[in-house]
Amino acid sequence: MNTATLAGSLTGAPHEMAARADDALFRKITWRLIPLLFACYVLNYLDRTNVGYAQLQMKDQLGFSDAIFGLGAGIFFVGYALFEIPSNLMLARIGVRATLLRIMALWGLTSAAMMFVSTPTQFYVLRFLIGVFEAGFAPGVLFYLTLWYPSRRRAQVTALFFMAYGAAPIVAGPIAGLTMTYLDGALSLRGWQWLFLLEGLPSVLLGIAAFFWLSNSPADAPWLSGAEKLRVLRTLEEDQAAQGPAGRQTIGSALRDARVWLLGFMSFLIILGSYALAFWQPTMMKAMGLSVLQIGFYSIVPAVVGIASSILVGRHSDRTRERRWHFAVAAVVGALGLSLTTLFMHNPPAAVACLALAAAGIGSAFIILWAVPGSFLSKNAAATGIALISTVGGSAGMVAPMMVGVIKTATGGFGLSLYILSGALVLSALLMLLALPRSALPQAQRGF
């Protein structure tokens, strides 16, 4: 070995050891935080979307039309949007532990109370209140992750958290199918009533668990050593410094940042497809001739494919430090899956395969999108910026169910809706590539 090679190996060894130590430290943090946050998000998904399965029974039993169901499903997001930013600002002040306890206890109790619905007005009011109480959960967790992870590590950890959004249908379908089939009539309650009760109360218990298990920040974590706390804080400071002027952003500058509003609109376009499927996919499968129990288990396939894709795409995006093309390709794949579904509405296996392709694209695009804002928002601006993006994007949840319901009533099918949703995904891809140029992102995020 010559002198230059020896010097290079000696210089590189400490760097490699430090990198391995950092990897081990952030794995430790991930194993502490993500499993519980993952479980919370699964329940969050179940309690906001279980109405999509419940309506397979309750719509006929209560005499609700498609329009009533669509409005009730969508009005959730009115309350959600109104209280999203205030909730996230409160989290920044009181910490994630108290915030999650408040959010999960209130949404869980209100979701369980859905079992007593008998009129459209009661349906609307409770759905609105669930939105109010859930407001701030997902953007709050995303802000919370910025307190623990530097930007270069966030895509994968964001993917792990949002993997719950893909994993939830794996349990949602079978739970709904089994509950509504085998508990229908037990204790004089209908199956849809049992579904709301059994999926609502666990959220209260998990909120209590989160209060005692989580730490508000690395500095407050008793499960980290002093050296580990110092290393995490130093890594975050270095990450902020590397962002240059963006690291000194204020809340006001985040609200004036065009990138924040643009990401919010792209999130809106992605979530249109996501929530349209969340609320109407069971009805779509019922129209294919499937039973409630079959629908529950068929729903597993798109969910599993969506999870696997999100993990792989998120990992590759982190490794290459490229976001724009990862997002654009995923969004186009999602659009292709939705469009192809229209060709196989009378062929359940083929339709489910197309829905799986759509889930892969939509899920992957969604997690890549959320890796972007933390790369240019400072700690001071992150809570507001992330909440704003989530509020603008989340408003799609109000539009999508009602839009699909109205179009289905007018046309008698789902074809036109799926084409519109596909167009929204293609538009989001074009906006990422054309309206959000490489110069608008930090160097490590620019890509081609």
Side-chain angles (χ1 to χ4, degrees), residues 360-385:
I362 293 171
S364 298
F366 191 62
I367 64 100
I368 296 301
L369 180 76
W370 279 112
V372 174
S375 67
F376 64 82
L377 290 172
S378 71
K379 179 180 176 181
N380 291 334
T384 301

Side-chain angles (χ1 to χ4, degrees), residues 288-375:
M288 297 175 190
L290 300 176
S291 68
V292 172
L293 193 60
Q294 288 174 319
I295 290 169
F297 285 96
Y298 265 84
S299 299
I300 294 176
V301 178
V304 170
V305 174
I307 288 175
S309 173
S310 296
I311 294 175
L312 293 175
V313 173
R315 183 177 299 169
H316 189 268
S317 178
D318 267 355
R319 187 167 62 248
T320 60
R321 299 195 180 186
E322 197 285 323
R323 309 298 188 205
R324 295 166 66 249
W325 281 97
H326 281 79
F327 174 89
V329 171
V332 171
V333 168
L336 182 63
L338 290 180
S339 297
L340 289 176
T341 301
T342 64
L343 304 178
F344 301 100
M345 295 301 292
H346 300 291
N347 185 341
V352 169
C354 294
L355 289 172
L357 183 65
I362 293 171
S364 298
F366 191 62
I367 64 100
I368 296 301
L369 180 76
W370 279 112
V372 174
S375 67

Side-chain angles (χ1 to χ4, degrees), residues 8 43 61 106 126 129 136 170 180 185 213 228 263 305 341 345 348 375 406 410 415 431 433:
L43 290 178
Q61 293 170 9
L106 291 175
L126 286 177
L129 289 177
I170 295 177
M180 294 168 64
W213 183 254
E228 289 173 330
L263 288 172
V305 174
T341 301
M345 295 301 292
S375 67
V406 170
L431 288 173
L433 295 177

Side-chain angles (χ1 to χ4, degrees), residues 39-385:
C40 290
Y41 199 24
V42 168
L43 290 178
N44 178 261
Y45 179 94
L46 295 181
D47 286 336
R48 72 166 59 179
T49 63
N50 54 14
V51 68
Y53 288 100
Q55 61 98 15
L56 296 175
Q57 289 181 347
M58 70 183 294
K59 194 167 65 174
D60 293 333
Q61 293 170 9
L62 300 180
F64 288 1
S65 66
D66 284 335
I68 290 174
F69 169 72
L71 178 58
I75 204 170
F76 163 95
F77 295 93
V78 176
Y80 192 87
L82 289 175
F83 288 86
E84 186 92 317
I85 292 178
S87 180
N88 231 34
L89 292 176
M90 187 181 298
L91 179 147
R93 292 185 177 183
I94 68 174
V96 70
R97 297 168 64 242
T99 298
L100 285 185
L101 176 60
R102 168 184 60 82
I103 287 175
M104 298 189 68
L106 291 175
W107 104 46
L109 292 173
T110 308
S111 181
M114 284 284 293
M115 67 183 292
F116 300 113
V117 163
S118 61
T119 68
T121 300
Q122 293 171 352
F123 183 48
Y124 299 150
V125 169
L126 286 177
R127 286 291 298 174
F128 176 81
L129 289 177
I130 294 173
V132 170
F133 296 142
E134 282 194 18
F137 172 75
V141 172
L142 291 171
F143 167 69
Y144 182 58
L145 295 179
T146 67
L147 304 180
W148 294 85
Y149 296 91
S151 59
R152 67 180 181 276
R153 294 181 181 270
R154 283 187 203 135
Q156 179 142 6
V157 74
T158 301
L160 290 174
F161 172 63
F162 277 123
M163 187 173 67
Y165 189 83
I170 295 177
V171 296
I175 288 174
L178 292 169
T179 300
M180 294 168 64
T181 299
Y182 295 109
L183 289 183
D184 191 30
L187 301 179
S188 299
L189 296 175
R190 304 312 302 261
W192 61 269
Q193 293 176 303
W194 278 110
L195 183 65
F196 287 126
L197 179 65
L198 295 179
E199 292 186 349
L201 294 183
S203 295
V204 180
L205 301 177
L206 205 55
I208 296 172
F211 181 81
F212 289 102
W213 183 254
L214 298 176
S215 303
N216 285 328
S217 69
D220 299 327
W223 43 274
L224 289 178
S225 68
E228 289 173 330
K229 294 177 184 179
L230 183 62
R231 179 57 188 157
V232 174
L233 294 174
R234 184 175 298 165
T235 299
L236 294 172
E237 290 172 359
E238 292 171 353
D239 187 56
Q240 285 286 299
Q243 295 176 23
R248 297 185 290 277
Q249 282 180 320
T250 64
I251 292 175
S253 65
L255 294 175
R256 295 188 298 270
D257 194 326
R259 293 172 297 184
V260 171
W261 290 95
L262 182 59
L263 288 172
F265 182 58
M266 286 191 286
S267 176
F268 174 89
L269 296 172
I270 292 292
I271 292 175
L272 274 178
S274 179
Y275 276 119
L277 291 180
F279 289 110
W280 287 103
Q281 182 174 284
T283 303
M284 195 183 304
M285 290 184 174
K286 186 178 181 180
M288 297 175 190
L290 300 176
S291 68
V292 172
L293 193 60
Q294 288 174 319
I295 290 169
F297 285 96
Y298 265 84
S299 299
I300 294 176
V301 178
V304 170
V305 174
I307 288 175
S309 173
S310 296
I311 294 175
L312 293 175
V313 173
R315 183 177 299 169
H316 189 268
S317 178
D318 267 355
R319 187 167 62 248
T320 60
R321 299 195 180 186
E322 197 285 323
R323 309 298 188 205
R324 295 166 66 249
W325 281 97
H326 281 79
F327 174 89
V329 171
V332 171
V333 168
L336 182 63
L338 290 180
S339 297
L340 289 176
T341 301
T342 64
L343 304 178
F344 301 100
M345 295 301 292
H346 300 291
N347 185 341
V352 169
C354 294
L355 289 172
L357 183 65
I362 293 171
S364 298
F366 191 62
I367 64 100
I368 296 301
L369 180 76
W370 279 112
V372 174
S375 67
F376 64 82
L377 290 172
S378 71
K379 179 180 176 181
N380 291 334
T384 301

Side-chain angles (χ1 to χ4, degrees), residues 402-425:
M402 290 189 286
M403 180 194 76
V404 176
V406 170
I407 294 176
K408 180 178 180 291
T409 300
T411 65
F414 292 97
L416 180 58
S417 298
L418 293 176
Y419 286 128
I420 292 174
L421 298 171
S422 297
L425 290 170

